[in-house]
Amino acid sequence: MDFGGNKTRKENEKTVGVVETNIAKIPLPNDGFELECGRKLKELQVAYETYGTLTAEKDNVIFICHALSGDAHVAGWHGKVGEGTAGWWEEMVGPGKGIDTNHYFVVCANILGGCKGTTGPSSINPETKKPYGSDFPPITVRDIVRVHSLLTRYLGLDKIAAVIGGSFGGMQALEWTIQAPDRIGSCICIASATALSAQALAFDIVGRRAIMSDPNWENGDYYQSGQVPSEGLSLARKIGHITYLSPEMMGQKFGRERREQSGDSYHNANLFLSNFQVESYLEHQGEKFVARFDANSYLHITRAMDEYDLEAAYGKIENAFARIQSKILVVALSSDWLFPPEQSAEIANGLLKCKKNVSYCCLTAPHGHDAFLVDVKHLSSVVRAFLPWVGKKTIRDDSALRGIPPMLYKAYNVIEKWVPEESRVVDLGCGNGILMDLLAERKKVRSLGIDISIENIITVIDKGHDIFQADIDGGLAMIPDKTYDYAILSDTLQVVKNPRLILNEMVRVAREGIVSFPNFGKLTHRLQLLFRGKMPKSNTLPFEWYGMELPRTPEFLHKSHGLVMSLGQFNQWVSSQ
Amino acid sequence: MDFGGNKTRKENEKTVGVVETNIAKIPLPNDGFELECGRKLKELQVAYETYGTLTAEKDNVIFICHALSGDAHVAGWHGKVGEGTAGWWEEMVGPGKGIDTNHYFVVCANILGGCKGTTGPSSINPETKKPYGSDFPPITVRDIVRVHSLLTRYLGLDKIAAVIGGSFGGMQALEWTIQAPDRIGSCICIASATALSAQALAFDIVGRRAIMSDPNWENGDYYQSGQVPSEGLSLARKIGHITYLSPEMMGQKFGRERREQSGDSYHNANLFLSNFQVESYLEHQGEKFVARFDANSYLHITRAMDEYDLEAAYGKIENAFARIQSKILVVALSSDWLFPPEQSAEIANGLLKCKKNVSYCCLTAPHGHDAFLVDVKHLSSVVRAFLPWVGKKTIRDDSALRGIPPMLYKAYNVIEKWVPEESRVVDLGCGNGILMDLLAERKKVRSLGIDISIENIITVIDKGHDIFQADIDGGLAMIPDKTYDYAILSDTLQVVKNPRLILNEMVRVAREGIVSFPNFGKLTHRLQLLFRGKMPKSNTLPFEWYGMELPRTPEFLHKSHGLVMSLGQFNQWVSSQ
């Protein structure tokens, strides 16, 4: 994750413009700010930036939690626009962007323990008038979040419309949502986890050891020596950078390319420094990091990250999640191996178990973990759709049925009659969510959509529904048992690969299942329209029941069209064919 | 990869017993042994071990190439059996084991640049009478292999029946097979590559840098200081150990478990040393390694490994592989992410392109890269089956047809007539290779089998045929275009998921395709027997043509049984149904 350095400004790029980091000296009780470890900080200052305009109701606050090595400067430019230092998430935050500063009042603060203006190990200890160094107390994610909380109160911001974070920032966002359910309206948790995996721990462990092995570290008291543990910090950063990129992207970006074409590798200035491009890259990352980051901050923050463990803290994840009142969006990145998609899926699954409002998507992201910083195209759209106001389409007026294609009209009408008010529904293959609209509008039904397409995910999230991105052909592993009143498979059975699997999964996740078929009208013509390009041409009807014991004939299709059945009725009907 | 330390001896375990490492002082020309870099070593000594008995014909030599941190002590015990130090591949090498010392004369030597008896940076430089240190010249894989080659000549061993290596040892095995095609009978290359990936390079780069950053390293001249760069070497080793384990296995072995249950992590002796089990593990591995390995050897050997690149050396891989005359077995490990299966598959694919005799399998190996050392059950069987004599079944007498099940007899008979002598055949879903036996025996046909089951792989390799482990439902990506005269799909079409894909792939990889169906005799009865437990019971015949435009009726099956058709005939026949 590279939060530093200049970025070339694109022409016509919208930006919040020139910004400055502010420092807040947080008023504390006389004995100071008590940390989770029991020790107290006598003074607490927090560096923060804000963009956009606060509404009179103060209800448009978005708080961004930064990751391991970030800072308060999330958007805009220090110095001159296009020439100074751009914010680390400039692509995401600004007018018209994913986090739209035309609508929101955005706050980002450097975390406790950091080295970018908020109290940390390199700050002056008011009791000794020297930098804390080895005397800086251990901190936790909860401490970090409590500092964010104090800052927002200090700024007069009681309600946080949304808290957003990626990676370690996602842990903070989650923790805040759990700690202050009354203050947090919604939460976006990107490429994160409720605890690091053993492998991620291992990389941090080696990184810390590299710093501690550097003779300049001096047990943390190096500030006055004039010598910083730069070799150790650089090593730690290089290990980190390997884990931030997917192996495929590392292969694509660097492969085995070399800096110069000579190919004579026996006469390097140093035999053991290769001329592989990947070495130059890592060296460069190490050097940049050493110039902008403090080794003790790295130690303290990675330690806090390693120790974070919601399950250990609450006995089980569900005990933590039970406290949450906000809507949550969980975003995974497909080729992230540091915070792999399974860990995001676990969060989403745990929230479903607690019957929370949660959406989940796994973005195609070849970069790996770094994608949340460098490849924000889809991420911006998903975030923008999820945030409470921006881009909301006004389709949920009384005319919800107007959006329904004629061939689904009859089936939807029946489903609407069958589903009781305020029941919990999962809509498998929900498409753009029209049935969900209808049931929300007419029956006050809270439904979860399941769909594979990112465009549908964005549309449905934008409408305010919950949705999980998943391939229903692979089953519904992320949905806990008996979580729903109704599982609906509408106009979808004919395109699934393994109907038996889906039908069994419907029985597992819901009390009742409903299967419906489109009413094609002039059947053959419409079918050709529907399946054009999707199925291979053939003499028989291009309507395949992969592996299912169903007659695969035009007659069957004629019989099924427009039908709506409970699972029991459907099974009876199939065996009668 | 942990080559060191004692191992508990299992009861009744067969072992070569107590062994010793020998030192050979290799006779050199007056000006010494010239390395690829142009510099010369005035003296060359090699540490080696041998087990088993050399035949009078000297045709049973197996040479084992060790990996990064191994040594000559591959099997048996130094000191007392069960109490001293076991060889690093004791599970694999010994009487009745994968590499069976009852049959073979096994040789293993410490590599050039090592620190276990073969000339390396810690050896005494005869010109200065001091350890080489920074004066040790850069070495390459080719240098390492040339030293193996000199050693075997010195021992009077001209022919190597098989050279075997895993990881970096696999690179050496491959290189030797390319360099000395006339000397090497066969080659087994396990969890290796023709060049490291960018990610693997990156880990080595950071590891070397950790050693060089250690002030004790002193540019390599630390031998007389009494201080070795143990912190740096330990860091490098820890990074290595993370990469040797799959993330899943690391999660299973350590997860987030802690050394003690106190949970109070604020008062460790050192705040930044965690009590996670994974930290203890890494510390232990680092300490053990520092006690047994030399940092300069680590630098030189990893450098040689990083620089190894068959494609760069030969322009393209095929130019290197074209030289090979040996049979080759390429073994991948399913969850290896340091030398991922794709890299082994690339080797196998390249060898096929050059029409070499190659077999490939990907063993289910949850441990990751380390599996070749710690989980050798299947590996032993595959290696044992591949080696020239051990376990060979004597089924290839003139009665090859005896092994054929009656229902395939007729089809095989037709296929035998169709396939010309000495043609090249790929048998898709070859099972235990009976058709391959038949064609080899009667028509001198050299065939490649494709099958998914490890038992079939072992059986077919044991018979001396080539086989690739692959799921034909996923296509035949590893088979280059038009490599074969005939692609045969015998008694298999009815169980593939996507017949169209397979039929298209047959056309791609071979000039002609043959499809055959079993002759079931009393059809219904035999079918029930054949498919019992494999297909769900139902009223219709449990014979599924996943997604293919074929009538799925008992009548069709009756018509097809016993048929043998070219692809052209088959397509005509299907459209006539």
Side-chain angles (χ1 to χ4, degrees):
Chain A
M1 286 169 290
D2 187 7
F3 291 102
N6 291 3
K7 285 173 188 166
T8 314
R9 195 188 171 210
K10 291 181 192 127
E11 289 296 322
N12 304 317
E13 190 182 322
K14 287 185 176 171
T15 173
V16 296
V18 175
V19 296
E20 280 184 2
T21 304
N22 308 297
I23 301 287
K25 291 187 187 298
I26 307 292
L28 297 176
N30 274 346
D31 56 350
F33 176 73
E34 184 171 350
L35 297 162
E36 207 177 340
C37 66
R39 290 174 59 188
K40 296 190 174 78
L41 292 171
K42 292 290 179 194
E43 289 180 8
L44 180 61
Q45 73 168 39
V46 182
Y48 69 98
E49 296 193 2
T50 70
Y51 329 112
T53 309
L54 187 63
T55 55
E57 300 79 12
K58 298 187 177 179
D59 61 354
N60 67 335
V61 176
I62 307 282
F63 194 100
I64 298 175
C65 300
H66 71 70
L68 177 52
S69 65
D71 55 31
H73 181 37
V74 62
W77 297 80
H78 285 178
K80 205 174 156 191
V81 169
E83 289 177 13
T85 306
W88 56 263
W89 226 6
E90 172 71 1
E91 305 287 318
M92 175 65 90
V93 182
K97 296 184 180 175
I99 299 171
D100 194 335
T101 49
N102 291 333
H103 296 259
Y104 301 110
F105 183 66
V106 176
V107 186
C108 182
N110 185 214
I111 60 175
L112 179 68
C115 52
K116 297 302 190 107
T118 295
T119 301
S122 58
S123 302
I124 299 297
N125 181 347
E127 290 177 327
T128 63
K129 313 292 179 204
K130 290 191 294 186
Y132 281 101
S134 63
D135 203 33
F136 194 74
I139 56 170
T140 65
V141 172
R142 197 173 297 180
D143 293 329
I144 290 170
V145 165
R146 282 180 56 228
V147 171
H148 291 339
S149 181
L150 284 178
L151 171 74
T152 48
R153 297 280 194 196
Y154 171 83
L155 296 173
L157 311 169
D158 288 339
K159 295 284 182 189
I160 311 296
V163 59
I164 302 178
S167 188
F168 182 51
M171 288 176 165
Q172 298 160 44
L174 209 52
E175 179 66 18
W176 202 354
T177 308
I178 292 164
Q179 290 305 321
D182 51 327
R183 292 188 65 195
I184 307 294
S186 54
C187 166
I188 303 180
C189 180
I190 304 162
S192 194
T194 59
L196 288 191
S197 71
Q199 191 185 64
L201 280 181
F203 284 119
D204 279 349
I205 283 165
V206 178
R208 277 196 299 274
R209 188 66 188 224
I211 294 171
M212 293 157 69
S213 297
D214 189 320
N216 288 344
W217 183 58
E218 299 275 12
N219 203 32
D221 293 316
Y222 51 82
Y223 298 108
Q224 276 136 332
S225 72
Q227 300 272 14
V228 298
S230 51
E231 283 291 335
L233 182 59
S234 171
L235 279 170
R237 185 61 169 174
K238 288 173 190 170
I239 295 170
H241 266 282
I242 301 175
T243 66
Y244 304 152
L245 270 184
S246 68
E248 294 75 21
M249 187 52 66
M250 201 166 240
Q252 266 182 49
K253 279 178 84 158
F254 310 111
R256 298 181 54 87
E257 294 301 308
R258 293 171 187 265
R259 256 196 313 272
E260 54 229 36
Q261 293 301 340
S262 82
D264 180 358
S265 53
Y266 302 128
H267 301 100
N268 287 329
N270 188 316
L271 183 61
F272 304 113
L273 298 179
S274 76
N275 58 0
F276 288 113
Q277 289 286 8
V278 66
E279 179 144 10
S280 313
Y281 167 76
L282 293 173
E283 278 301 317
H284 177 66
Q285 296 297 346
E287 274 168 32
K288 274 205 309 186
F289 195 60
V290 165
R292 75 178 179 86
F293 214 79
D294 176 53
N296 281 334
S297 283
Y298 195 86
L299 292 174
H300 276 280
I301 295 169
T302 59
R303 188 194 158 284
M305 177 159 66
D306 289 5
E307 294 290 333
Y308 189 66
D309 187 338
L310 270 183
E311 189 177 341
Y314 287 85
K316 55 179 189 171
I317 299 281
E318 288 76 19
N319 295 345
F321 288 169
R323 304 165 56 105
I324 290 177
Q325 293 174 25
S326 343
K327 283 186 67 165
I328 301 203
L329 170 64
V330 180
V331 182
L333 303 172
S334 61
S335 68
D336 187 346
W337 61 282
L338 187 61
F339 289 83
E342 301 78 51
Q343 292 193 307
S344 287
E346 255 175 49
I347 298 176
N349 179 260
L351 288 162
L352 269 195
K353 280 189 188 156
C354 298
K355 300 197 189 322
K356 300 298 169 187
N357 275 113
V358 54
S359 287
Y360 166 84
C361 61
C362 180
L363 303 179
T364 303
H367 277 87
H369 188 60
D370 252 357
F372 86 93
L373 294 169
V374 300
D375 180 17
V376 300
K377 180 174 166 279
H378 279 141
L379 184 59
S380 294
S381 304
V382 174
V383 166
R384 190 176 167 89
F386 181 78
L387 290 177
W389 310 310
V390 173
K392 181 69 33 75
K393 291 182 187 99
T394 54
I395 57 150
R396 277 196 279 168
D397 54 21
D398 196 49
S399 59
L401 272 175
R402 278 191 214 150
I404 301 174
M407 65 175 145
L408 299 178
Y409 193 94
K410 187 185 154 199
Y412 281 15
N413 230 330
V414 178
I415 293 170
E416 185 199 330
K417 288 199 185 93
W418 280 11
V419 173
E421 290 237 327
E422 296 188 11
S423 50
R424 289 173 58 85
V425 165
V426 59
D427 183 359
L428 309 176
C430 64
N432 58 8
I434 291 177
L435 180 60
M436 299 169 77
D437 295 338
L438 179 74
L439 294 176
E441 174 64 28
R442 301 276 178 89
K443 307 298 286 268
K444 301 190 186 67
V445 157
R446 182 175 146 198
S447 55
L448 175 76
I450 310 278
D451 208 276
I452 185 71
S453 126
I454 184 66
E455 287 74 20
N456 285 338
I457 301 293
I458 292 168
T459 303
V460 172
I461 285 179
D462 192 34
K463 289 173 170 183
H465 301 302
D466 295 335
I467 186 166
F468 269 42
Q469 188 173 29
D471 181 357
I472 59 174
D473 282 326
L476 307 171
M478 285 176 72
I479 315 288
D481 294 355
K482 300 293 172 206
T483 320
Y484 293 91
D485 300 315
Y486 287 86
I488 300 179
L489 190 69
S490 163
D491 190 22
T492 300
L493 190 62
Q494 67 275 27
V495 289
V496 301
K497 289 197 180 134
N498 191 342
R500 264 193 222 100
L501 174 69
I502 302 296
L503 297 171
N504 288 340
E505 284 287 79
M506 288 171 74
V507 172
R508 181 180 65 76
V509 304
R511 289 191 300 103
E512 278 280 2
I514 300 178
V515 180
S516 80
F517 296 87
N519 185 336
F520 288 104
K522 282 187 183 171
L523 188 71
T524 313
H525 176 67
R526 284 198 182 269
L527 265 180
Q528 277 169 5
L529 228 68
L530 188 67
F531 290 109
R532 185 169 295 161
K534 275 177 76 177
M535 302 276 178
K537 284 180 188 173
S538 109
N539 292 332
T540 62
L541 204 66
F543 200 158
E544 307 207 19
W545 297 90
Y546 297 85
M548 198 185 183
E549 303 303 340
L550 283 176
R552 213 172 33 154
T553 58
E555 289 72 31
F556 171 77
L557 199 69
H558 271 285
K559 282 184 199 159
S560 74
H561 84 274
L563 288 179
V564 184
M565 292 174 279
S566 73
L567 273 187
Q569 291 169 329
F570 178 71
N571 286 331
Q572 272 195 330
W573 181 75
V574 167
S575 41
S576 76
Q577 297 303 303
Chain B
M1 287 170 290
D2 186 7
F3 291 102
N6 292 3
K7 284 173 189 166
T8 314
R9 198 191 168 205
K10 289 180 193 127
E11 289 297 321
N12 305 318
E13 190 183 320
K14 288 186 177 170
T15 173
V16 297
V18 176
V19 297
E20 280 184 0
T21 304
N22 308 296
I23 300 287
K25 292 191 186 296
I26 307 292
L28 298 175
N30 275 346
D31 56 350
F33 176 73
E34 185 170 351
L35 296 163
E36 207 176 340
C37 67
R39 289 175 60 189
K40 295 191 176 78
L41 293 172
K42 291 288 177 195
E43 288 179 9
L44 179 61
Q45 73 168 40
V46 182
Y48 70 97
E49 296 194 3
T50 70
Y51 328 112
T53 309
L54 186 63
T55 54
E57 298 80 12
K58 299 185 177 181
D59 60 355
N60 68 334
V61 176
I62 307 282
F63 194 99
I64 299 175
C65 300
H66 70 72
L68 177 52
S69 65
D71 54 31
H73 182 37
V74 61
W77 297 81
H78 285 177
K80 206 173 153 192
V81 170
E83 289 177 14
T85 306
W88 56 265
W89 226 6
E90 173 70 0
E91 305 287 317
M92 176 64 92
V93 182
K97 296 184 180 175
I99 298 171
D100 193 335
T101 49
N102 291 333
H103 295 260
Y104 302 110
F105 182 67
V106 175
V107 186
C108 182
N110 185 214
I111 61 175
L112 179 68
C115 52
K116 298 302 190 107
T118 295
T119 301
S122 57
S123 302
I124 298 298
N125 179 347
E127 290 176 327
T128 64
K129 313 292 180 205
K130 290 191 295 186
Y132 280 102
S134 63
D135 203 32
F136 194 75
I139 55 170
T140 64
V141 172
R142 195 172 297 180
D143 293 329
I144 289 170
V145 165
R146 281 180 57 228
V147 170
H148 291 339
S149 180
L150 284 178
L151 171 74
T152 48
R153 297 278 194 199
Y154 172 82
L155 296 174
L157 310 170
D158 288 340
K159 294 284 182 190
I160 311 295
V163 59
I164 302 177
S167 188
F168 182 50
M171 288 175 164
Q172 298 161 43
L174 209 52
E175 179 66 19
W176 201 355
T177 307
I178 292 165
Q179 290 306 320
D182 50 330
R183 292 189 65 195
I184 308 294
S186 54
C187 166
I188 303 180
C189 180
I190 304 162
S192 194
T194 60
L196 288 190
S197 71
Q199 191 185 63
L201 281 180
F203 284 119
D204 279 349
I205 283 165
V206 177
R208 277 197 297 274
R209 188 65 187 224
I211 293 171
M212 294 157 68
S213 296
D214 189 320
N216 288 345
W217 182 58
E218 298 276 11
N219 202 33
D221 294 315
Y222 51 83
Y223 298 107
Q224 275 136 333
S225 72
Q227 300 273 15
V228 298
S230 50
E231 283 292 334
L233 182 59
S234 171
L235 279 170
R237 184 61 169 174
K238 289 173 191 171
I239 295 170
H241 266 282
I242 300 176
T243 67
Y244 304 152
L245 269 185
S246 69
E248 295 75 21
M249 186 52 67
M250 202 166 239
Q252 268 182 48
K253 279 179 85 157
F254 311 111
R256 297 181 53 87
E257 294 301 310
R258 293 170 187 267
R259 257 197 310 274
E260 54 231 37
Q261 293 300 339
S262 83
D264 180 358
S265 53
Y266 302 129
H267 301 100
N268 287 329
N270 189 317
L271 183 61
F272 303 113
L273 298 178
S274 75
N275 59 0
F276 288 113
Q277 288 288 6
V278 66
E279 179 143 10
S280 312
Y281 166 76
L282 293 172
E283 277 300 317
H284 177 64
Q285 295 297 346
E287 274 168 31
K288 275 206 308 186
F289 194 61
V290 165
R292 74 177 179 85
F293 214 80
D294 176 53
N296 280 335
S297 283
Y298 194 87
L299 292 173
H300 275 280
I301 296 170
T302 59
R303 187 194 159 285
M305 176 159 67
D306 289 6
E307 294 290 333
Y308 189 65
D309 188 337
L310 270 182
E311 188 176 342
Y314 286 86
K316 56 180 187 170
I317 299 281
E318 288 77 16
N319 295 345
F321 287 169
R323 304 166 57 105
I324 290 177
Q325 294 173 24
S326 343
K327 282 185 70 164
I328 301 203
L329 170 65
V330 180
V331 182
L333 303 172
S334 62
S335 68
D336 187 346
W337 60 283
L338 187 62
F339 289 83
E342 300 77 53
Q343 292 192 308
S344 287
E346 254 175 50
I347 298 177
N349 179 259
L351 287 163
L352 269 194
K353 279 188 189 155
C354 298
K355 300 199 191 322
K356 300 298 170 187
N357 275 114
V358 54
S359 288
Y360 166 82
C361 62
C362 181
L363 303 180
T364 304
H367 277 85
H369 188 59
D370 253 358
F372 85 94
L373 294 169
V374 300
D375 180 16
V376 299
K377 182 174 164 279
H378 279 141
L379 184 59
S380 294
S381 305
V382 173
V383 165
R384 190 177 167 88
F386 181 77
L387 290 178
W389 309 312
V390 172
K392 181 71 32 75
K393 291 182 187 97
T394 53
I395 58 150
R396 275 196 280 167
D397 54 21
D398 196 48
S399 59
L401 273 175
R402 281 191 212 148
I404 301 175
M407 66 174 145
L408 298 178
Y409 193 95
K410 186 183 154 199
Y412 281 17
N413 229 329
V414 177
I415 293 171
E416 186 198 330
K417 287 199 185 92
W418 280 11
V419 172
E421 290 238 328
E422 296 187 13
S423 49
R424 288 173 59 85
V425 165
V426 58
D427 183 0
L428 309 176
C430 64
N432 58 8
I434 292 178
L435 180 60
M436 298 170 77
D437 294 338
L438 178 76
L439 294 176
E441 172 65 27
R442 300 278 178 88
K443 308 298 286 267
K444 299 190 187 69
V445 158
R446 181 173 147 198
S447 54
L448 174 76
I450 310 277
D451 208 275
I452 185 71
S453 126
I454 183 65
E455 288 74 22
N456 285 338
I457 301 294
I458 292 168
T459 303
V460 173
I461 285 179
D462 191 34
K463 289 175 171 182
H465 301 302
D466 295 337
I467 185 166
F468 270 41
Q469 189 174 29
D471 181 357
I472 59 174
D473 282 327
L476 306 172
M478 286 175 71
I479 315 287
D481 294 355
K482 300 292 173 208
T483 321
Y484 293 89
D485 300 314
Y486 287 85
I488 300 179
L489 190 69
S490 163
D491 189 23
T492 300
L493 190 62
Q494 66 276 28
V495 290
V496 302
K497 288 199 179 132
N498 191 342
R500 265 193 220 99
L501 174 68
I502 302 296
L503 297 172
N504 288 339
E505 283 287 79
M506 288 171 73
V507 173
R508 181 180 65 77
V509 304
R511 289 190 299 103
E512 278 281 1
I514 300 177
V515 180
S516 80
F517 296 87
N519 185 337
F520 289 104
K522 281 188 181 173
L523 187 71
T524 314
H525 176 68
R526 285 199 182 268
L527 265 180
Q528 276 168 4
L529 228 70
L530 189 67
F531 289 111
R532 185 169 293 162
K534 275 177 76 176
M535 302 274 179
K537 284 180 187 174
S538 111
N539 291 330
T540 62
L541 203 68
F543 199 157
E544 307 207 19
W545 296 91
Y546 298 85
M548 197 184 184
E549 303 303 340
L550 285 177
R552 214 174 29 156
T553 58
E555 290 71 31
F556 171 75
L557 200 69
H558 272 285
K559 282 185 198 157
S560 73
H561 84 274
L563 288 179
V564 183
M565 290 173 282
S566 73
L567 272 188
Q569 291 169 328
F570 178 72
N571 286 331
Q572 271 196 330
W573 180 76
V574 167
S575 41
S576 76
Q577 297 303 303

